[in-house]
Structure formats: C-alpha cells, structure tokens
Amino acid sequence: CIGTDRSRREEQAVCTNPSIQGLDLESCVWDELCSMLNHPDRLVAELERRRAERLPSRSELENTQRRVKDLRSRLDRLIDAWTSGLLERAEFESRMGPLRDRHDREAAALASLSGEYARDETTDVTAGLHCLSKAIKSSLTSATNELKRKLLQLLIKQIEIHRHEVRIVYKVPATIALADTAANNLLQHCSRSHDGA
C-alpha cells in the first residue's frame, strides 16, 4: 500500500496495515480457490442463502404494483385536468414534475423486484459450478500460470486485506467458459451458467 510510504505523505504514513508477502498471499488465495472448486456446494449454498435473503415478498411486489398503478392514474388525471383547462400551466408543471419523478422511482423499484423474481425462477448456477469443478478438478494441482490467472479472474471479484484477515470475495459469472486455456480446453463444455453475483 503506498499509504505506508512516508516520503509520499510528508513523513506521515496514512496506512498502518502491516505488509504481506505477495507470494504467501497468492499461495493462500490459490489454495482457497482450489478448495472451493473441489467443494462447489459451499459457494452454491452461500448464493442460495443470499438469494433467499434479498428475495422480496409477494406482498411487497403487489404493494409496489399498486403504488405504480395509483401514481399512473394520478398522472393521467392531472393531464386530463390540464387539457380540460381546469389548471393553469404553472400549476400543472409544478405538480407534474414531482409526481412524474415519484412514479419513475416506483416503476424502477417494481422492475427491480420483478427482475428478482424472474432471476430466482430461472437461475441454475449449481449446474455450471459443478460442471466447472468436474472439468478442472484433475488439473488443479498442475495448473499453469495462465490457467490459474484465468480461474482467478473468472471466479474472484476482489481480495480484501484487513489487519488480521484476508477475505476472498467470489463472483459467479454469467458464463463459465474458459476455452483456449493451457489445460487443453478442459472447460469447453461448461458454457452455461445463468447467474452473476
């Protein structure tokens, strides 16, 4: 971390985290990734837990639909009042802007909630992870640097280094395909996974 370099900050280090050896970190991260690939159910279970946590209730979806419909009818009535000459232009514009903004926010929330339901109903990340695990398991111990790099880029979103721990944040890509790897295209048949995390 350049925050530990005192010469850059008027002899004051702004970061007090201790240094960590790069090779040790790389080795630990690779070992953890291999463990996850050898036991993909760990990641699948975590994805299912998180998906269940953030899945909105049916009543929340219905309430949002009702609010969007109500706001749309209020917008229509306001437009009808203005076209009928019941409202002055200034009053119409002062009411229309906030009402339209509120409608757009609720409509975006509804689209997001609907997307959560659709994604939950159609996602089958389990098959993709198991296929990846099965295809790559035998070559993990002898993986080339290129294969390691591709697997790390494919499955790890970020590595967080804290004072007393290292956290690996995994991701599940939309497609699990690593054709043209140094492992003789081991993963060519794992081209479909529908989830991103």
Side-chain angles (χ1 to χ4, degrees):
C1 174
I2 62 170
T4 59
D5 186 356
R6 292 181 182 188
S7 64
R8 293 176 183 259
R9 307 278 186 204
E10 300 173 4
E11 301 305 317
Q12 288 283 4
V14 295
C15 179
T16 58
N17 270 352
S19 294
I20 186 169
Q21 291 292 324
L23 290 176
D24 293 342
L25 178 63
E26 288 174 13
S27 176
C28 288
V29 169
W30 177 248
D31 290 345
E32 179 59 30
L33 181 64
C34 289
S35 174
M36 191 278 299
L37 284 169
N38 285 320
H39 304 96
D41 289 333
R42 283 177 34 203
L43 186 57
V44 171
E46 179 64 15
L47 283 170
E48 292 303 322
R49 185 188 68 76
R50 289 185 184 188
R51 191 174 295 134
E53 273 180 6
R54 70 173 192 253
L55 190 64
S57 66
R58 183 58 73 178
S59 64
E60 185 181 355
L61 183 65
E62 290 169 355
N63 287 339
T64 307
Q65 287 172 329
R66 195 170 25 260
R67 284 194 303 273
V68 169
K69 186 176 179 181
D70 177 58
L71 288 166
R72 182 71 249 173
S73 66
R74 287 172 61 188
L75 280 169
D76 291 343
R77 286 195 305 272
L78 188 60
I79 291 169
D80 289 343
W82 182 63
T83 55
S84 299
L86 300 173
L87 289 175
E88 295 295 323
R89 182 182 184 102
E91 185 180 2
F92 170 75
E93 289 175 352
S94 68
R95 290 170 140 191
M96 189 65 168
L99 191 58
R100 179 173 282 148
D101 290 343
R102 193 168 158 211
H103 173 268
D104 292 346
R105 279 194 308 273
E106 290 292 340
L110 178 61
S112 176
L113 290 174
S114 299
E116 289 290 347
Y117 269 101
R119 185 162 54 247
D120 188 62
E121 291 167 1
T122 61
T123 300
D124 185 17
V125 71
T126 307
L129 283 173
H130 283 285
C131 184
L132 175 66
S133 174
K134 184 178 177 184
I136 202 70
K137 193 180 281 189
S138 62
S139 61
L140 287 176
T141 54
S142 61
T144 64
N145 286 336
E146 182 185 358
L147 178 60
K148 286 181 179 181
R149 183 178 53 80
K150 287 187 177 188
L151 284 170
L152 290 167
Q153 288 175 339
L154 180 74
L155 296 171
I156 295 180
K157 180 179 180 183
Q158 64 191 33
I159 299 166
E160 300 173 352
I161 302 172
H162 299 276
R163 187 171 300 283
H164 300 291
E165 68 180 348
V166 174
R167 287 188 198 140
I168 299 173
V169 181
Y170 289 101
K171 63 181 177 180
V172 180
T175 59
I176 296 182
L178 286 181
D180 277 341
T181 63
N184 299 322
N185 298 328
L186 280 173
L187 306 179
Q188 65 186 348
H189 302 294
C190 295
S191 60
R192 293 210 175 164
S193 173
H194 305 290
D195 197 354

